[in-house]
Amino acid sequence: MIVRPRPGALQLFFILRGSILPKIAAKILFISLLACVTVWFYEHGDLESLRSLSAPAFSLLGVALSVFLGFRNSTCYDRWWEARKLWGELVIQSRGLARDTQALLGDEAHAALRERTLRRCIAFAHALAASLRGQDPLTPIRHWIDPREAELLKAHHQIPDALLNRIADDLADCLRRGVLSDVLYQTLARRLDGMSSAQASCERIKSTPTPFAYSLLLHRTAWLFCLLLPFGLVSSLELMTPLVVAIIAYTFFGLDALGDELEDPFGFADNDLPLDALVRVIERDVLDVLGEPVPEALQPKGYVLN
Amino acid sequence: MIVRPRPGALQLFFILRGSILPKIAAKILFISLLACVTVWFYEHGDLESLRSLSAPAFSLLGVALSVFLGFRNSTCYDRWWEARKLWGELVIQSRGLARDTQALLGDEAHAALRERTLRRCIAFAHALAASLRGQDPLTPIRHWIDPREAELLKAHHQIPDALLNRIADDLADCLRRGVLSDVLYQTLARRLDGMSSAQASCERIKSTPTPFAYSLLLHRTAWLFCLLLPFGLVSSLELMTPLVVAIIAYTFFGLDALGDELEDPFGFADNDLPLDALVRVIERDVLDVLGEPVPEALQPKGYVLN
Amino acid sequence: MIVRPRPGALQLFFILRGSILPKIAAKILFISLLACVTVWFYEHGDLESLRSLSAPAFSLLGVALSVFLGFRNSTCYDRWWEARKLWGELVIQSRGLARDTQALLGDEAHAALRERTLRRCIAFAHALAASLRGQDPLTPIRHWIDPREAELLKAHHQIPDALLNRIADDLADCLRRGVLSDVLYQTLARRLDGMSSAQASCERIKSTPTPFAYSLLLHRTAWLFCLLLPFGLVSSLELMTPLVVAIIAYTFFGLDALGDELEDPFGFADNDLPLDALVRVIERDVLDVLGEPVPEALQPKGYVLN
Amino acid sequence: MIVRPRPGALQLFFILRGSILPKIAAKILFISLLACVTVWFYEHGDLESLRSLSAPAFSLLGVALSVFLGFRNSTCYDRWWEARKLWGELVIQSRGLARDTQALLGDEAHAALRERTLRRCIAFAHALAASLRGQDPLTPIRHWIDPREAELLKAHHQIPDALLNRIADDLADCLRRGVLSDVLYQTLARRLDGMSSAQASCERIKSTPTPFAYSLLLHRTAWLFCLLLPFGLVSSLELMTPLVVAIIAYTFFGLDALGDELEDPFGFADNDLPLDALVRVIERDVLDVLGEPVPEALQPKGYVLN
Amino acid sequence: MIVRPRPGALQLFFILRGSILPKIAAKILFISLLACVTVWFYEHGDLESLRSLSAPAFSLLGVALSVFLGFRNSTCYDRWWEARKLWGELVIQSRGLARDTQALLGDEAHAALRERTLRRCIAFAHALAASLRGQDPLTPIRHWIDPREAELLKAHHQIPDALLNRIADDLADCLRRGVLSDVLYQTLARRLDGMSSAQASCERIKSTPTPFAYSLLLHRTAWLFCLLLPFGLVSSLELMTPLVVAIIAYTFFGLDALGDELEDPFGFADNDLPLDALVRVIERDVLDVLGEPVPEALQPKGYVLN
């Protein structure tokens, strides 16, 4: 995620970090060159017929493309924002689990259980972040759980879920030993439900892109539209054609590419969610309740927060 | 569902798998031929009056059509995405049921009950997927439940609901025998509510298409608009008319057809939801908790995941 | 509700059942005749000034009208879909009540109570459907409840709510007699809350149309726009004016009328919700749990499901 | 709220009740007069330059204004509909409180408590409606509560919340005396939470208009757009300018004014919510459970329901 | 937040307080000057080629920009409104905590606990408002909590969460001493969950702006569009170019800047949420239940409520 103050008017055009421009520069260049060639032919050649490809057809396609790109962007943004909400939910449940265990299992006798539970909760966040980013979820959690437990987790194909199951086993043990009443067990178990629900919803966003036919239709239409642009505008814009074509191509290709970037919000791209920073928030708040030293909050590097 | 990386600019135009193009190719061809005929008459014939069918009327109809197609697509996508969320809910409840039964009924004495319950949970997912796809729900669940139970289920017109009722009976038996307190029974019964709710909501999407009058109005307007296109554009585009008409028809017919495809997300079309893969996710996570061997996750075949 | 496969391209234009066309045919005809008169005057008369009423003003009004019609349609569709969701909720709660009573009150001693409760649940669906459609809610429920109870219900102005109250009284009696613990009573009472909530929400949709000023503004603007259309298009379209005007009027009047039809989804119009079929779903699922013979699911007649 | 059947095509233009027209008539007249003056100068004067202010600039501003007005209307309508939903929630909770108290406190011994609670519930609806409409909330509730209690309530700045607190005190007393178990107390207390939540949400809508800068930007743009309209259209529309300008001004000013009216849905304007009728619904349903005579439902007067 | 009646038509153009105009005046002036220069060159110079940069290209870019600005505004408004809802949730939970503690811990023996809990609840609102506004959260809460507790809180990096943990500890103590049953403890603990959830959601809005690439793309496109405007309109508008350009620039820059302002709703800008007034609402309602003197509600100063 890019974290920076709003740039000034001049500064605006020189920002590359976080901009979608580098990704579409080649396309814009190609369309602009095509426009230059078109202008040359129009001025020197015998392209009278180009005069014809004018406003009406373009308005039609341009308005339709705007409406559909607008829809796709809104959809992709909703996915990105839902993913952020789900991680907010993880923060809420982690703080709640910390508060509940401190209140309900806060005595000396359950200190080990409490610490184990809360460290597993931190490990859950690490494991989820890693598996959403396609990394090995076992690596980041070794610091937080018992080495033997880490060994046991290897047998499971799904580390975050296995961690929740182990927390639940501990809580059920408290229930059996009468340390927790069934109502209080239920209270704590709901925290796990909340975390499991956030996990499955993140996996849903990760594993289900917007329908391929939709993206394909939009990519194709955007390309066709931009390819026709020089022919459509040359008769009225003449020498200014390449400039205007480049601006329009920038807007349409940019929105198209931005949709692609927001669609999967869990990667390492500039505009993806700062999972590391969110995991750190959970670490900090849970460790604070455990009375352990709290690490620093992650800061953006060169305006980028991962 | 199509699972594939974003195609490059050239590749983009040669993809058929997952594209909506094959479905609407005939229509586009027809409109393009009509455009060719129109051009011929315009060039050689005496169609002065065609000159008149120009921009204003088309802008009007085109903008209106864009707005309404945009609305319908957003509606159909919402149905598709809601269906995906409901199956995500099934994943959440299945994992939760596995976690809860392991924690609350995890002792030796209830091993049989636990296994029966979780296998019925897997059977529920299979039965729901089959009935949503118009297949016999009994076939895929035979592997997961007792043959006598399968026999008994035949008497019911609604297999998924009957499976939930049988799980509930087992749980109520635990409640009567004092194995579960009423609060814990409630906790487990809510899992069944979640699954039942997801089932009924999938049935709602399956059985209630968007209002027919709406689709009809849009199909008709899209056809009328595309039929008039050649007459409207020939005076300004001349020889390029068929090309531009084909592109515009592709966009409008494509979005119209895509809406139809997303409207019922439970079929076997390329862009439908991968129910088999989702059922397999449930299988894997539940079997893992049962300690049984876990099958492989389903992989896309030729980019298609069913 | 219309249930039919997507019509072919030719078939598309001959469908009347479910189409909005019959309702707006008079208006379209009127506008088309007006267009014919305008063309006649334009060709033969001295209507030079008509030449002026051209594109700019129409684009403005047409785009604005599209955006606002789009908003109203989306609003009315949301009401229709919310109503469908509420009836889905009724299905969920009815199945849940059947499952819960079978599990918790499934013994011989409570067979009468259980049957009475579930038959009242079916009666509730019938009564709600009837009262939403402005019919006498007592008629359809006589089959499902005790004649003396039907007599008593006459004293109440609100049959569905009175039925829920009677179910609640029975459940509270079980609570007092110790048959149900307070937690289990709460579980069952929440079913009634869900049904009551769906009822009140359906009543909200029924009793609160979209703001009248909004519909009025749209109806008026649609009329004014269509009335001006012939004058605006005649100078450029000439003899084709009536055809194009009819198509545009069809689109705009059609969407306007469709909004009206979807706004109140509980009637007997072609595009209204199939309440009878939904009540039958509840009947079938509840009777199945009671072990009574299950009636057939309702089938569409001439593509229409009521 | 206006409750009336859809008007016929002719009737449509003579409706004033519920129309936004009277509120914006002065503005439309002013713009039309401006158009007349413009036409006069254009025909007789030396306003060649007016010819220039033509289509492109207007399309731009008109489309933008449509999109933004569309957004504001959708926002204001959402507020209006949310407010209606909140009152629906009050209906649900009132019916639920009536059902619960009848079931759980329905014996003779608690008849007084039950009546007091339900009459306070009715008083709550009256007090909330009055305070949302800026009236004294004590006046309408005197009929429903004990005079001494009314005296005590004067000490509180917030009558609805104070009523809920008094109901809660009574329920807590039942809890202390063992009449209600903690679970049943919780069930009843959640009713109060639902009512409190609806109250606070209504207050949110009442106290927080849409951002002023937004409304201001739209009002200004709408004015500027309409002021420029005559100059922009006179060269193409000539004598018909005032008519077309009036229609366009009606649409844009109308939507702008309608947004203002829907923004605060709790007043006495024609399109505001019928709070009196909704309070009466609550009265009727609660009194029915109490076995007291039920007043008539409120009917619209001259199509207006308050 | 600006709280003022709708201004009259004339007044409308002289309002600065709450308007977005001052923030974008420099940009509009710059674009208008550019337009003046363009006009001068066009009239006196040799800029025949400018004639070409006309309608089609502008319509395209303008429509696209409108759709995308509309999307961004709707997104930013949703954040602003969600933030307002979250503070409404805080009001609900505070009132609920006050009602619950009065009902369940209302006896003399727990007066100190009750007061301590409710004053911490007020302190929570103060601390959250301060930390969302980037101020020291300890300063405003000293008035509400014990000096020693304030000292202890310094050790925590997150004051609001620490306050909730302390309330939870007190409640858990009541649970251990048998003053509260587990069900009633759960009821009260859920209030804390609600407050914690609102806190984390506010932090989410505060810490996660809309994707930077999106804002950047829009800012750039808005600038490019407005920079090209004078060249595009000069040939048709001539001397009126600067006026029309200024109006269009006002609309587009204004909406762009307004999105920025609403994006972070927790500052001190005119259109930000009135956190101080909302904290005061919580103070008033909680103190009223405690029977302490209630401060005045905050009033807007010069139409601005902070």
Side-chain angles (χ1 to χ4, degrees), chain B residues 186-258:
Chain B
Q186 198 190 31
T187 301
L188 287 163
R190 270 187 203 155
R191 301 282 174 209
L192 307 186
D193 290 352
M195 291 161 79
S196 175
S197 176
Q199 178 201 347
S201 302
C202 284
E203 290 169 5
R204 162 169 52 81
I205 292 175
K206 177 79 185 173
S207 71
T208 314
T210 54
F212 181 70
Y214 210 100
S215 318
L216 194 63
L217 188 66
L218 273 180
H219 295 334
R220 280 183 183 162
T221 307
W223 262 111
L224 291 170
F225 177 74
C226 288
L227 283 175
L228 287 178
L229 260 186
F231 306 98
L233 297 182
V234 71
S235 68
S236 60
L237 295 183
E238 292 171 18
L239 285 175
M240 292 189 70
T241 307
L243 176 69
V244 175
V245 160
I247 292 176
I248 296 181
Y250 168 63
T251 308
F252 283 95
F253 280 142
L255 279 160
D256 191 26
L258 190 51

Side-chain angles (χ1 to χ4, degrees), chain A residues 28-146:
Chain A
I28 297 178
L29 207 68
F30 173 73
I31 297 287
S32 305
L33 285 177
L34 182 67
C36 292
V37 173
T38 316
V39 170
W40 193 89
F41 269 104
Y42 184 75
E43 300 281 330
H44 303 87
D46 185 42
L47 285 180
E48 269 309 294
S49 68
L50 274 180
R51 204 176 285 275
S52 59
L53 197 66
S54 59
F58 270 94
S59 294
L60 277 176
L61 213 53
V63 170
L65 195 54
S66 298
V67 172
F68 306 141
L69 267 178
F71 161 65
R72 178 148 184 273
N73 259 286
S74 136
T75 298
C76 290
Y77 173 78
D78 284 350
R79 294 165 60 95
W80 182 85
W81 192 230
E82 191 197 351
R84 181 58 188 83
K85 279 187 176 162
L86 292 169
W87 275 86
E89 183 65 21
L90 278 190
V91 172
I92 294 170
Q93 297 300 349
S94 304
R95 286 179 187 166
L97 192 63
R99 188 167 59 245
D100 286 351
T101 47
Q102 185 193 33
L104 301 174
L105 301 167
D107 50 345
E108 274 308 297
H110 300 96
L113 166 68
R114 205 173 119 236
E115 189 184 335
R116 194 165 62 227
T117 301
L118 292 186
R119 293 179 77 91
R120 277 175 184 156
C121 167
I122 296 177
F124 175 83
H126 276 288
L128 181 56
S131 66
L132 288 173
R133 285 176 158 175
Q135 299 172 319
D136 176 25
L138 274 172
T139 316
I141 70 176
R142 283 182 201 282
H143 176 63
W144 299 102
I145 58 171
D146 192 82

Side-chain angles (χ1 to χ4, degrees), chain D residues 261-291:
Chain D
E261 192 159 323
L262 295 185
E263 191 173 16
D264 173 14
F266 298 120
F268 285 102
D270 284 353
N271 293 294
D272 285 342
L273 290 177
L275 296 196
D276 288 349
L278 287 162
V279 170
R280 180 60 60 88
V281 167
I282 292 174
E283 266 181 34
R284 280 163 57 87
D285 292 346
V286 170
L287 287 177
D288 187 49
V289 168
L290 277 176

